[in-house]
Amino acid sequence: TGRCAIVWHALEGAMRLAFFDDFRLGLVQGDRLHDVSGAIDDAVPAPQRPAVLIERFGELRGAIERAAGRAEGRPMAGLALRAPVPRPNKLLCAAVNYLEHGVLTELPIEFFIKSAEAVLDPGGEIDLPPVEARVFQHEAELGVVIGRTARRVGAAEALDYVFGYVPFIDVSARGLEPRNYFTQKSFDTFAPIGPAIVTADEVADPQRLRIELDVNGEPRQRFGIDDMANGVRELIAFVLLVMMLRLGDVIATGPNHQALSPIQHGDQVRMRIEDWPELRVSVHDDQRRTWVREIDAAMAAEARRGR
Ligand code: MN
């Protein structure tokens, strides 16, 4: 039927797009990246290429497919990957937005803003700052990349403005005074993102995705996005009550708190959403602080109580 044809066509066009080296564009298939940088004019300055990709994706799609057919794939593991949204004008993060495996029934929507300086390339080092934190932790989250200008759009239409989805880690400092989001969340390098944007047409329903995060190969966070208190649509609509969104803005959708744990110097952090390319970062600490390597049970219990 015609309806089936439309669905098939949408899936056919889905792409996993990454940038490497000096913002060369790559199309990811499996664990290999095909250099399709020829699809974007060389005259476009390197840092602007992600925005050009999003803005002109409809017309670039054919050229990307043709270039991928010509290019031999390379293993992603050996590449210098770049954050696919390197300088978001707005990096908006939902706080406390999970029902903690269904223990809670509802939560109010709450947001904070991270600086664009917090964005960290895949393969980069989270730089733990010399502040008196009780601990530094990972929060694995679904990142939503906005595709075009949205003003006063309601939840029902909100997903029409999404370009794609991307793994995001909201690195967090705990126990700083005063306790607020500015002090805990927005240090430089505290927003690893990438490596690939998965275009929205691959994700029929973002609420059905699963997230996993490991530290040094030890399993930590494991949760389904169906456990969100407020879904992607509602989060976007909430933000739009306050401000407009533009191409390349990023919304991080909050963490499940049931398996947060410390990160410290030398750690390797790996995050996955479904079978999308993995986000890998390491940790640097000039002060070489150490913490007990265990899941934060107190934080998990606090989250289960709501706040
Ligand atoms: Mn968070």
Side-chain angles (χ1 to χ4, degrees):
T1 69
R3 193 171 162 198
C4 284
I6 290 165
V7 171
W8 179 84
H9 200 74
L11 289 172
E12 186 73 3
M15 287 186 176
R16 298 175 176 187
L17 300 154
F19 288 90
F20 66 105
D21 292 349
D22 190 19
F23 288 98
R24 297 173 71 82
L25 177 62
L27 180 70
V28 180
Q29 289 172 334
D31 57 0
R32 299 178 80 81
L33 179 146
H34 300 261
D35 183 341
V36 296
S37 49
I40 296 179
D41 193 330
D42 281 347
V44 177
Q48 291 174 23
R49 289 175 196 156
V52 167
L53 170 71
I54 296 171
E55 184 169 22
R56 297 179 48 209
F57 184 60
E59 61 188 276
L60 293 176
R61 209 167 193 153
I64 292 169
E65 275 169 7
R66 285 191 296 279
R70 289 192 299 269
E72 205 165 306
R74 293 190 258 171
M76 285 191 84
L79 295 171
L81 298 163
R82 307 302 301 258
V85 270
R87 301 288 301 175
N89 285 318
K90 299 194 279 304
L91 179 43
L92 301 148
C93 302
V96 194
N97 187 40
Y98 274 80
L99 300 177
E100 308 301 334
H101 300 313
V103 171
L104 304 174
T105 54
E106 61 179 355
L107 283 167
I109 300 180
E110 188 180 354
F111 267 92
F112 59 90
I113 298 180
K114 281 198 195 230
S115 159
E117 303 296 344
V119 169
L120 179 66
D121 289 331
E125 280 188 330
I126 297 165
D127 184 17
L128 302 185
V131 295
E132 301 279 318
R134 175 174 60 77
V135 68
F136 298 93
Q137 293 181 335
H138 51 80
E139 293 185 355
E141 306 188 11
L142 173 71
V144 180
V145 180
I146 299 298
R148 59 194 170 102
T149 301
R151 286 189 82 218
R152 295 180 186 153
V153 174
E157 287 80 42
L159 295 188
D160 297 346
Y161 294 80
V162 174
F163 176 73
Y165 299 93
V166 68
F168 180 87
I169 302 173
D170 172 19
V171 181
S172 304
R174 310 292 185 198
L176 291 172
E177 295 295 335
R179 179 180 170 171
N180 60 45
Y181 292 118
F182 181 78
T183 56
Q184 295 182 91
K185 298 287 197 175
S186 199
F187 294 99
D188 298 347
T189 75
F190 272 31
I193 187 165
I197 300 180
V198 173
T199 57
D201 42 18
E202 180 172 331
V203 183
D205 179 3
Q207 306 307 135
R208 294 177 65 174
L209 300 169
R210 268 196 75 77
I211 292 182
E212 299 185 347
L213 182 144
D214 300 338
V215 178
N216 301 328
E218 295 289 324
R220 298 300 190 217
Q221 291 173 278
R222 297 279 185 277
F223 60 97
I225 292 175
D226 58 358
D227 190 43
M228 268 186 195
N230 306 283
V232 173
R233 291 172 182 278
E234 287 74 28
L235 295 178
I236 294 170
F238 179 86
V239 168
L240 289 172
L241 294 173
V242 181
M243 62 187 74
M244 65 191 298
L245 288 167
R246 293 181 196 270
L247 177 155
D249 287 343
V250 174
I251 295 178
T253 54
N256 175 302
H257 295 74
Q258 293 309 302
L260 305 182
S261 71
I263 53 171
Q264 64 190 46
H265 185 82
D267 281 356
Q268 306 291 323
V269 181
R270 294 182 170 205
M271 178 192 163
R272 293 171 296 283
I273 298 178
E274 300 291 325
D275 67 340
W276 304 358
E278 192 172 65
L279 175 56
R280 301 175 186 177
V281 288
S282 57
V283 182
H284 176 87
D285 180 9
D286 278 342
Q287 300 186 344
R288 304 293 197 270
R289 289 161 287 186
T290 59
W291 288 276
V292 178
R293 293 193 169 281
E294 61 185 16
I295 286 169
D296 189 337
M299 173 73 76
E302 183 186 330
R304 286 195 301 271
R305 286 192 299 271
R307 279 203 313 199

